[in-house]
Amino acid sequence: MTLTKNIEEVVLFDVHEIRKDFPILSREVNDKPLIYFDNGATTQKPRQVIDAIVKYYTMQNANIHRGVHRMSQDATDEYENARITVQKHIGAKHENEIIFTRGTTDSINLVATAFGKKYVNVGDEIIVSEMEHHSNILPWQQLCEEKNAVLKVIPITDSGELRMDEYKKLLSEKTKLIAITHVSNTLGTVNPVKEMIAIAHSKSIPVLVDGAQSIPHLKVDVQDLDADFYCFSGHKVYAPTGVGILYGKEEWLKKLPNYQVGGGTIKTVSFNKSEYAESPLRFEAGTPNIEGAIGLAVALDYINALGLKNIAAYEDELLEYATEKLSALDNLQIIGTAKEKASVISFVVEGIHPLDIGILLDAQGVAIRTGHHCTQPIMAHYQIQGTIRASFSFYNTKEEIDIFANAIVKSIKRINQK
Ligand code: PLP
């Protein structure tokens, strides 16, 4: 990884140097150089993260928190240091506010189950939005079904922005929690979560932010947002799969009942009564994904070295470039044209199924995502079956976008020739 300074003293990175950190980017797919535009689904891993995992299993593997031997203590230190890295990265006040989970879905299920058990009753309301990923709908829907509570939905506009007027109208004394995505994985919309949280807090309603798609693109400061809960997945931010984070304000974590219980969550156990540990260990039952946590810390160090401002500026440039290129293509319609967007473009081509384009793009070495992207309510809003989605990372280039745009044109021609 190299950083170079330009005349205005803004640190810019050299994308071709950065790409060397990601071994997978030099492979071929279908005899074509890989163009990886499926970063919204999962990101590729830099050598630094891969090396950390190899080192862990080569030299350090041991279970944590329980061993007196040296390797166990070293593994515990690395795991707990990873927690501090995450704490600093998202600006949490205390390290005990950082819970390691399996990912965003697991984090949301934890809150829905634990919060729901204690705070949601018959007739209460939970608010989500029309642009949520299924992972931020289903746990709440299930909770509402179990408790005879009501799931309320903030509608979106046709450009893919939240209807803030409707949001305000939905809030009432029945509202127990608002669960909202920071960035839409399908539309790319960056939601005004700070403003939404302030509005919710003026009525003493807590807010959970699904940060799965904001953590790779934006500088997130949970204290500045004043989020009560913030969730994300390691694999979407250049770290391994199977590890994620639930941030919860200390005051909330203290009040939440247990989620899963088992080894690691206790102070003492007896058949009469068991005593539980404090957060975060109370919420981390069983042996966690130790190498995942270590890999996550390395990934966060990696993006911090690049600079989150640099990443955001470069990805914005890619988004703008791709939007211009795709807008110029006949019969192509971009779905999601919010003013504030992260580097995600969804589109449809008139008369052609997204899957057909996806298959032909794959034949040309371009990996994109097609379908509903686990956001079927968005598809219902636009009355479409699915979209083609390209999601860019800081290791992508404008040259790749040129090839992608040409590959779309070729694919459309081929389908129309049949
Ligand atoms: N929320 C959003 C906005 C997402 O984009 C995703 C994954 O695509 C998820 C939640 C679920 O993440 P995971 O599958 O890593 O738990």
Side-chain angles (χ1 to χ4, degrees):
M1 178 195 342
T2 56
L3 299 172
T4 53
K5 286 198 171 187
N6 75 3
I7 328 134
E8 289 131 324
E9 287 297 295
V10 177
V11 181
L12 294 173
F13 46 68
D14 177 345
V15 64
H16 296 287
E17 277 299 314
I18 286 173
R19 288 175 68 85
K20 292 182 191 160
D21 287 337
F22 292 82
I24 209 167
L25 296 180
S26 53
R27 69 160 282 184
E28 295 196 335
V29 168
N30 295 322
D31 299 325
K32 300 278 183 332
L34 166 67
I35 295 181
Y36 187 77
F37 283 172
D38 197 15
N39 296 288
T42 199
T43 52
Q44 299 305 341
K45 319 305 170 201
R47 194 177 294 285
Q48 290 81 342
V49 169
I50 299 167
D51 287 350
I53 295 164
V54 171
K55 181 178 155 215
Y56 175 74
Y57 279 119
T58 314
M59 294 302 294
Q60 298 169 317
N61 177 44
N63 210 331
I64 56 167
H65 292 148
R66 297 187 260 278
V68 289
H69 64 81
R70 172 67 191 270
M71 288 206 310
S72 174
Q73 288 182 13
D74 286 352
T76 304
D77 287 348
E78 287 240 24
Y79 181 79
E80 290 303 328
N81 285 339
R83 197 188 304 278
I84 294 168
T85 302
V86 175
Q87 177 208 346
K88 289 192 178 140
H89 187 78
I90 62 169
K93 211 186 228 169
H94 309 289
E95 63 187 86
N96 62 6
E97 296 177 317
I98 306 297
I99 298 164
F100 283 112
T101 64
R102 287 192 299 120
T104 310
T105 305
D106 194 29
S107 303
I108 298 171
N109 273 281
L110 191 165
V111 179
T113 306
F115 181 92
K117 213 190 292 183
K118 186 162 171 184
Y119 293 104
V120 179
N121 294 304
V122 180
D124 286 342
E125 295 176 357
I126 302 282
I127 298 179
V128 296
S129 87
E130 201 180 0
M131 69 166 80
E132 298 310 310
H133 188 281
H134 296 164
S135 288
N136 199 28
I137 299 175
L138 300 175
W140 307 111
Q141 190 175 52
Q142 182 171 273
L143 169 67
C144 288
E145 281 167 8
E146 283 166 7
K147 293 287 189 117
N148 266 323
V150 183
L151 191 66
K152 295 273 178 176
V153 182
I154 312 162
I156 57 172
T157 64
D158 287 346
S159 61
E161 288 170 335
L162 291 175
R163 292 273 309 269
M164 290 296 280
D165 51 337
E166 293 295 328
Y167 168 62
K168 287 173 197 158
K169 281 191 225 155
L170 285 177
L171 301 181
S172 79
E173 67 286 350
K174 289 188 196 156
T175 314
K176 288 293 159 210
L177 183 135
I178 295 153
I180 186 82
T181 194
H182 198 171
V183 172
S184 160
N185 61 309
T186 299
L187 305 167
T189 313
V190 180
N191 287 319
V193 288
K194 187 174 171 179
E195 185 190 337
M196 294 176 79
I197 291 169
I199 295 169
H201 284 178
S202 72
K203 297 183 186 302
S204 306
I205 303 165
V207 180
L208 174 142
V209 178
D210 172 350
Q213 298 291 341
S214 54
I215 201 78
H217 302 295
L218 309 175
K219 171 80 194 126
V220 172
D221 183 321
V222 289
Q223 285 192 75
D224 179 54
L225 293 176
D226 205 17
D228 299 280
F229 301 101
Y230 179 91
C231 317
F232 71 91
S233 303
H235 72 98
K236 294 194 195 280
V237 64
Y238 312 98
T241 50
V243 69
I245 294 296
L246 169 64
Y247 158 81
K249 274 187 188 166
E250 191 178 49
E251 66 207 69
W252 275 115
L253 294 179
K254 276 191 174 151
K255 290 189 285 193
L256 287 195
N258 292 339
Y259 172 51
Q260 295 178 334
V261 289
T265 62
I266 52 97
K267 278 186 192 153
T268 60
V269 172
S270 81
F271 285 115
N272 290 332
K273 175 128 186 85
S274 299
E275 264 190 287
Y276 287 91
E278 305 293 335
S279 176
L281 297 189
R282 183 159 69 85
F283 296 106
E284 294 181 2
T287 301
N289 182 346
I290 304 164
E291 82 282 10
I294 294 169
L296 174 57
V298 175
L300 296 179
D301 285 344
Y302 183 88
I303 58 170
N304 282 321
L306 287 182
L308 286 163
K309 272 196 187 147
N310 295 322
I311 289 175
Y314 181 70
E315 289 177 349
D316 279 354
E317 220 179 291
L318 290 180
L319 175 69
E320 207 176 301
Y321 188 74
T323 305
E324 238 171 63
K325 280 260 160 189
L326 297 194
S327 304
L329 301 185
D330 288 340
N331 302 326
L332 185 150
Q333 187 199 346
I334 292 176
I335 304 290
T337 50
K339 273 186 230 91
E340 291 289 325
K341 275 186 73 171
S343 51
V344 174
I345 301 193
S346 266
F347 60 93
V348 290
V349 180
E350 207 186 313
I352 299 180
H353 197 288
L355 188 63
D356 292 338
I357 301 233
I359 291 168
L360 290 175
L361 287 176
D362 179 54
Q364 297 169 80
V366 184
I368 46 81
R369 179 58 56 116
T370 61
H372 55 65
H373 320 294
C374 295
T375 54
Q376 287 188 359
I378 294 183
M379 302 304 131
H381 177 97
Y382 290 99
Q383 298 184 319
I384 51 180
Q385 286 174 309
T387 74
I388 301 146
R389 182 189 72 182
S391 45
F392 310 115
S393 158
F394 56 74
Y395 46 57
N396 292 129
T397 65
K398 288 186 181 169
E399 294 78 54
E400 288 182 318
I401 292 171
D402 290 339
I403 298 170
F404 169 53
N406 286 334
I408 296 172
V409 174
K410 270 194 222 161
S411 306
I412 295 173
K413 265 195 198 143
R414 231 184 108 192
I415 293 165
N416 287 337
Q417 270 164 10
K418 280 186 190 162

